[in-house]
Amino acid sequence: MSSRPEPVYDIAQLGHAELLTPRLEESVAFFTEVYGLTLVGEDPGRAHLRAWNDDVLTSLTLTGAPEAGLGHVAWRATSPQALERRVAALEKHGVEGAWHDGDFGHGKAYRYTGVGGHVQEVYFETEKYVPPPGEAPALPNQPQRFAPKGAAASRIDHINLLVPDVAEASRCQQEVLGFKLRERLVPAGGDEVGAWLSVMTKAHDLALTKEPAPTTGRLHHLAYAVPETSDVIRAADVFLENDVFIEFGPAKHSRTQGFFLYVYEPGGNRVEVFTGGIHIFAPDFETVTWDTESKGRGTAWGLGVPESFHTHATPPFGGASA
């Protein structure tokens, strides 16, 4: 008999994220005109956006703040009952949080601070996107009419959080929320410095990276997907034409096997355009452990990893610890 724990399938997806920005108007302009999202709502100091293939009303909130960083990240449960189970598991694990009545585009949620110092929440009720008159898609299995603009990011894909203790944060996501550890990086003789976890079949919905600074709660990057590798290359041209600094890529990750491109939005947050990545269908998939980069490289092919990719995050070094 196998001693593997019973898998938990109570979390369905990365639901939405909130990014803080000291340059709200410029960040909104970037995400709508260059990254290709759609503005669907505003309230004082905040803007709510969606990608054309998100089936929900909003997947990103931009909030004006003194410095860039992560406001919160939200995980959508598979059902109201699943939500109650995961909240009970969080409380049993000693994670203290509180319910709130909901926000733009979603219902009640349980908000808490995770092991790495990031504000997270779990919820179920969400508002689906309904296209306005004249904007219905030609195909009924698409949520929005395809009218590409800028890089035309298609859907929210994953988030990468910096954490002081990767193994501990990864263990909490697995044991309490039911994430599956797909790959991890453990240098020979050292501590775990990277973990890639998913809730269903994707290569990752969440990446955890070793925090290099004496602080907590920092964001490494937020990623939206595009359909094809050619869309990532096209995005590079879009960013070039709009004078957006390209930090890394286009290239292919060794881990996750995704094709990628990293840039910075005007507020200072790193964002990624991503496509591909392995999909995992076996329920007994064995975690892949790396003890070094593949053939000494951080990418399967393409340019090597720039130093800024390991040293820059939001909020900047010297910011207050969470």
Side-chain angles (χ1 to χ4, degrees):
M1 295 288 290
S2 172
S3 60
R4 294 173 63 92
E6 182 72 16
V8 174
Y9 294 103
D10 279 350
I11 301 296
Q13 62 188 141
L14 168 61
H16 60 267
E18 176 192 22
L19 295 184
L20 309 179
T21 169
R23 300 164 69 177
L24 181 59
E25 290 187 6
E26 293 175 59
S27 292
V28 172
F30 167 84
F31 277 106
T32 55
E33 298 171 13
V34 182
Y35 204 63
L37 304 187
T38 300
L39 180 68
V40 291
E42 293 180 282
D43 45 64
R46 300 197 308 167
H48 310 284
L49 305 100
R50 58 173 277 101
W52 64 267
N53 205 32
D54 287 326
D55 66 346
V56 296
L57 177 62
T58 180
S59 58
L60 176 63
T61 292
L62 298 175
T63 299
E67 60 183 18
L70 179 70
H72 76 278
V73 57
W75 308 103
R76 190 178 181 215
T78 58
S79 68
Q81 297 82 3
L83 172 59
E84 297 292 340
R85 287 193 295 268
R86 287 313 97 207
V87 170
L90 284 162
E91 293 178 341
K92 182 178 180 181
H93 194 76
V95 177
E96 296 184 1
W99 288 97
H100 67 86
D101 292 335
D103 202 345
F104 185 90
H106 73 90
K108 71 173 186 177
Y110 187 82
R111 184 169 289 194
Y112 61 95
T113 299
V115 170
H118 305 86
V119 177
Q120 302 188 47
E121 66 182 20
V122 288
Y123 71 104
F124 172 70
E125 295 175 354
T126 192
E127 184 175 348
K128 297 293 186 177
Y129 177 72
V130 178
E135 292 297 319
L139 302 176
N141 60 358
Q142 297 295 301
Q144 180 175 336
R145 179 174 176 234
F146 182 55
K149 187 174 184 179
S154 66
R155 60 174 172 79
I156 193 169
D157 189 82
H158 67 267
I159 194 166
N160 186 318
L161 306 177
L162 290 169
V163 294
D165 188 327
V166 172
E168 180 187 10
S170 174
R171 187 162 50 249
C172 182
Q173 295 290 139
Q174 294 174 65
E175 296 177 355
V176 181
L177 294 182
F179 280 68
K180 286 76 181 170
L181 179 60
R182 303 311 195 181
E183 301 184 74
R184 62 182 190 145
L185 176 59
V186 187
D191 296 328
E192 189 169 339
V193 297
W196 292 262
L197 306 101
S198 68
V199 292
M200 293 295 177
T201 65
K202 288 164 54 182
H204 66 323
D205 296 280
L206 170 67
L208 300 171
T209 301
K210 176 69 175 178
E211 170 60 76
T215 188
T216 59
R218 297 203 302 162
L219 171 72
H220 190 274
H221 70 266
L222 175 68
Y224 274 71
V226 290
E228 306 287 345
T229 299
S230 58
D231 294 315
V232 180
I233 297 172
R234 176 180 170 277
D237 282 333
V238 170
F239 294 138
L240 177 66
E241 293 292 347
N242 286 275
D243 199 28
V244 175
F245 171 65
I246 296 174
E247 179 190 33
F248 189 16
K252 180 181 176 182
H253 285 303
S254 297
R255 290 168 293 277
T256 77
Q257 293 288 289
F259 195 69
F260 67 88
L261 175 65
Y262 293 95
V263 300
Y264 291 92
E265 57 88 20
N269 294 292
R270 179 190 286 113
V271 291
E272 180 184 13
V273 177
F274 181 89
T275 195
I278 56 176
H279 278 259
I280 298 160
F281 301 102
D284 56 352
F285 176 82
E286 296 292 336
T287 299
V288 176
T289 299
W290 302 69
D291 61 5
T292 186
E293 306 289 6
S294 176
K295 298 182 179 179
R297 299 177 62 85
T299 54
W301 45 263
L303 294 175
V305 184
E307 182 63 23
S308 62
F309 196 71
H310 294 304
T311 58
H312 180 83
T314 50
F317 291 140
S321 297

